[in-house]
């Protein structure tokens, strides 16, 4: 079982930046994809960004394209989400997730159902 631990959340003013980290531990970590999702109060969890290992492809929600960047550090089993030009609409709990399924990483890389292991989440609050 993979354990994922997110960090880096906090309170930031609109226009500011944050970098989230997701560290994986547990059995031999062999991800096919890792993603970031977020959930605002009374809203469904939504896709933010993903990284697919097999071809190093990245995926972004339209709402964050050009502002957020997902990256990885294989040596540290860590994925990052650099968030720039933050707005109050980015306020949410951000979750990291992973799947070892190459099929899911191909077909469901932007879908909540495409991931098997989830972190506990980190709060991001953007003030206006």
């Amino acid at each position: 079982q993979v354990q994922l631990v997110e960090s880096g959340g906090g309170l930031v003013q609109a226009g500011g930046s944050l970098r989230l980290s997701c560290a994986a531990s547990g059995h031999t970590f062999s991800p096919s994809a890792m993603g970031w999702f977020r959930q605002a109060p009374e809203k469904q969890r939504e896709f933010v960004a993903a990284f697919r290992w097999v071809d190093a492809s990245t995926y972004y929600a339209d709402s964050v394209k050009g502002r957020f960047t997902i990256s990885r550090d294989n040596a540290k089993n860590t994925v990052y989400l650099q968030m720039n030009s933050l707005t109050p609409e980015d306020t949410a709990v951000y979750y990291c997730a992973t799947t070892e399924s190459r099929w899911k990483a191909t077909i469901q890389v932007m879908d909540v159902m495409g991931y098997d292991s989830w972190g506990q989440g980190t709060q991001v609050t953007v003030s206006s």
Side-chain angles (χ1 to χ4, degrees), residues 1-124:
Q1 185 74 18
V2 176
Q3 288 83 44
L4 301 176
V5 178
E6 303 98 334
S7 61
L11 174 64
V12 64
Q13 288 188 333
S17 299
L18 284 174
R19 189 177 80 155
L20 305 184
S21 299
C22 173
S25 62
H27 78 302
T28 302
F29 185 54
S30 181
S32 291
M34 290 190 75
W36 287 96
F37 292 77
R38 66 187 182 187
Q39 189 166 16
E42 301 182 357
K43 291 189 176 181
Q44 289 189 333
R45 193 169 297 189
E46 64 175 5
F47 170 76
V48 174
F51 188 102
R52 190 165 64 195
W53 252 248
V54 66
D55 56 6
S57 295
T58 56
Y59 301 84
Y60 297 95
D62 288 343
S63 59
V64 308
K65 279 181 183 176
R67 300 188 299 124
F68 291 10
T69 303
I70 188 170
S71 61
R72 65 172 175 176
D73 184 331
N74 279 347
K76 296 182 179 180
N77 283 345
T78 299
V79 168
Y80 303 98
L81 185 68
Q82 178 67 43
M83 306 187 295
N84 299 328
S85 302
L86 286 162
T87 74
E89 288 68 37
D90 295 315
T91 295
V93 177
Y94 283 70
Y95 297 90
C96 173
T98 189
T99 180
E100 294 185 323
S101 166
R102 295 190 68 173
W103 183 84
K104 287 184 176 182
T106 301
I107 303 299
Q108 296 179 304
V109 70
M110 296 187 286
D111 190 334
V112 168
M113 298 303 294
Y115 294 85
D116 305 305
S117 299
W118 292 81
Q120 293 300 307
T122 185
Q123 177 70 46
V124 171

